[in-house]
Amino acid sequence: MSLLEVTDLQVEYASPRGAFKAVDGVSFSIERGEIFGLAGESGCGKSTTAFGISRLLRPPARLAGGRVLFDGQELTGMPELAFQAFRWSRMSVVLQSAMNNLNPVMRVGSQLTDVILAHEPGTSARDAWSRAESLLALVELPADRLRSYPHELSGGMRQRVVIAMSLALRPDLIIMDEPTTALDVVTQQGIVRRIVELKKELGFAVLFITHDLPLMLEICDRIGIMYAGKMAEIGRADRLLRGARHPYTQGLLRAFPSLTGPKVRIAGIPGSPPDLVSPPAGCRFQPRCAHAVAACSAAQPAMTAADAGGSVACHLYETEEAGHEPVAASRQR
Amino acid sequence: MNPLLQVDSVSKVFESGSFLRKKRFTAVNDVSFTLSKGEVLAIVGESGSGKSTLARMIVNLIPATKGRILLEGSEVGSKSRSRKSVARELQMIFQDPFETMNPNHRVHDVVGRPLRLHGATGDIREQVLALLRKVGLTPAEDYIDKYASQLSGGQKQRVMIARALGINPRVLVADEPTSMLDVSIGIDIMNLMLDLKQDYDLALIWITHNLGSARYMSDRMLIMNGGRIVESGDTEAIIAAPRHAYTRTLLEASPDPWRRQELGDAARSPAGTAEFPREE
């Protein structure tokens, strides 16, 4: 049984021009101890998917359908109070720029012990404090930082504090939404390395969301690529790197200038993502796709299994005869 | 041949605090380099490296504390040169397209104003339309009357490029113009700037924190750290064999699975999870 199983997730937004689905039928699963990446460009629904799973959606967004199973337990119908206890203890969330969400007038230590005391009311203050100390040690911060206020810490240190906080109750799954996007690359590398080490030590799974596909390819076990509210492709990171299947994934991979290989002109992806209030007929990527055939504007492609446990939603792979070859991103460069 | 732009031992010191207890912060520390016609120079550094402060001094938005910036031998920011004459030659594209345009101004105003200020004659609307076509906003008639708030980030950045190009500058300073954009949009902006550089015979200063984009854009690069240039030279040569420890750190920290794949096990990913190449 997978740790997390998301089936046909739908998130609807109300807008003056009519309701639209920011997440439209997204399905994927995360295994224990796995880092699963969710990638895509602005507005593709990757963060909204995470918010839907962790029930952090605020109006005008609402969960419009789908099932979320966590360790066999249905989350979608769970009463709010039960969910509040569940969130953080079994599934925690590190938000984008979470480092700016620390309370500026509370010491780091009080904020960490708050989490522990709120979820485990019987804990003594002394125990909570010593647990907070060991949490800081996990993210490689000295214990005396517990007495610091957030403004006394750098951005990278604050983000480490937030990660420590997410680890406080030893969750099975941590959802990280662009956890290092606001940081410099050297700081990012330190934090990402630590997340992966901790994952190995403590065995939690991570849903890692970022637009930084190269970073994702380096740290994730499997990756889901989203486009316009739908899942375009899911595959193992090494498999995507050697041969992405979906034309959107291929285009996205190409668009990152690499530090290696011949210096050639890179073509972007022509056009722009569709208006979700009135999405194009058939495949949502079809108006921008260089490989589009007649079938693409006729019907939406279903997610179909491909080799190596991957799957892809693209008409080009639905029939054997189409014989569309995956293109190795590395060879294209 | 004289360089087009010469930056000569430039420093910038910011002062804060009271008269008696002054605090000094050196944002740019004794930086020198030259830029030739038609060249693309990348300035690479992390936040706080001084790269944006340097850019602002070059286009005369802020004065240098020490040192000189010479454009074809004449000093930028000296009293003998008006701000306007500097602006005519040196233009800047800023990082955040969402903040650089007044949302209540139309594309026509944004692109047309510098033309008028610099004494353009004839049909300004026609000239704006031509500029919009030049930056790929076609059909230009659809864009010229739009408000800035109706444009996407990529479109705004194209408008800013059109605005900067209108008065035929010699040097374009681009301060991370793609960092706020999605990659598939950003790469188009990079391609556009490379094309325009060719067409207008511009010299380009490309400021970035991203080594991949520096490699894509530039012939030569400067690596900045703590206000100083720690390494400079041919872009490919630096990436192939960085000499300064900081450049190596930066290079190692830059996510690039293709490079790790090529380097093999010697440079496993920072996480050590993904092993390349791997067969099923």
Side-chain angles (χ1 to χ4, degrees), chain A residues 41-42 184 186 189 193 196 214 218 238-239 241-242 256-261 263-266 268 330 333, chain B residues 46-47 182-184 187-188 191 195 212 215-216 218 252 256-258 260-262 269-271 273 278 280:
Chain A
E41 298 183 289
S42 336
D184 279 319
V186 177
Q189 186 200 30
R193 173 184 283 152
V196 175
E218 287 191 347
D238 55 339
R239 185 68 184 72
L241 189 62
R242 283 188 296 111
F256 288 91
S258 173
L259 291 167
T260 191
K263 203 167 141 177
V264 291
R265 192 177 172 97
I266 301 170
S330 51
R333 292 178 168 268
Chain B
E46 296 186 285
S47 26
D182 273 322
V183 275
S184 70
I187 195 75
D188 287 338
N191 286 335
D195 292 344
R215 176 177 186 240
Y216 189 67
S218 72
E252 253 166 55
D256 192 332
W258 302 279
R260 297 203 203 280
Q261 194 174 36
E262 200 174 87
S269 76
T273 45
R278 183 159 60 184
E280 265 105 31

Side-chain angles (χ1 to χ4, degrees), chain A residues 285-298:
Chain A
F285 186 61
Q286 146 262 320
R288 301 173 75 185
C289 184
H291 306 285
V293 294
C296 299
S297 44

Side-chain angles (χ1 to χ4, degrees), chain A residues 259, chain B residues 41-42 44 211 214-215 218-224 229-244 246-248 250-251 259:
Chain A
L259 291 167
Chain B
L41 175 78
V44 184
L211 275 169
R215 176 177 186 240
S218 72
D219 316 307
R220 221 157 38 93
M221 67 178 176
L222 311 174
I223 310 283
M224 284 188 76
I229 296 176
V230 296
E231 184 159 0
S232 68
D234 179 76
T235 301
E236 290 294 310
I238 290 179
I239 286 171
R243 277 166 301 166
H244 196 278
Y246 176 74
T247 317
R248 281 198 290 273
L250 204 58
L251 204 58
R259 183 160 173 272

Side-chain angles (χ1 to χ4, degrees), chain A residues 29-199:
Chain A
S29 60
I30 301 180
E31 306 303 318
R32 283 180 185 282
E34 179 184 44
I35 302 191
F36 185 87
L38 211 47
E41 298 183 289
S42 336
C44 72
K46 55 190 191 300
S47 294
T48 311
T49 299
F51 276 44
I53 294 167
S54 52
R55 278 216 218 160
L56 293 171
L57 293 169
R58 293 278 171 274
R62 67 176 189 95
L63 202 63
R67 277 179 81 189
V68 181
L69 284 179
F70 187 94
D71 209 1
Q73 195 180 3
E74 174 116 27
L75 292 192
T76 15
M78 194 186 267
E80 191 53 35
L81 263 176
F83 194 82
Q84 278 176 16
F86 171 87
R87 190 169 51 213
W88 220 323
S89 63
R90 301 210 57 197
M91 172 171 79
S92 61
V93 186
V94 175
L95 292 176
Q96 191 168 0
S97 69
M99 55 192 192
N100 300 325
N101 297 345
L102 288 170
N103 188 334
V105 294
M106 257 173 97
R107 291 179 201 274
V108 163
S110 324
Q111 300 191 49
L112 275 169
T113 49
D114 244 16
V115 176
I116 298 165
L117 294 172
H119 281 267
E120 293 169 18
T123 319
S124 74
R126 183 187 291 261
D127 281 353
W129 193 263
S130 74
R131 269 172 70 184
E133 275 179 355
S134 54
L135 283 170
L136 278 200
L138 284 181
V139 293
E140 296 172 328
L141 287 180
D144 60 9
R145 287 299 182 184
L146 284 180
R147 303 211 170 270
S148 301
Y149 286 99
H151 76 266
E152 295 171 307
L153 307 177
S154 69
M157 288 162 100
R158 286 204 299 269
Q159 196 62 330
R160 282 173 190 267
V161 169
V162 175
I163 291 168
M165 213 177 260
S166 77
L167 292 168
L169 304 170
R170 295 290 156 94
D172 300 307
L173 175 70
I174 306 180
I175 296 176
M176 296 187 173
D177 186 5
E178 307 264 10
T180 56
T181 301
L183 306 170
D184 279 319
V185 281
V186 177
T187 315
Q188 164 175 287
Q189 186 200 30
I191 291 180
V192 163
R193 173 184 283 152
R194 193 63 197 140
I195 291 172
V196 175
E197 286 168 1
L198 285 171
K199 181 214 87 164

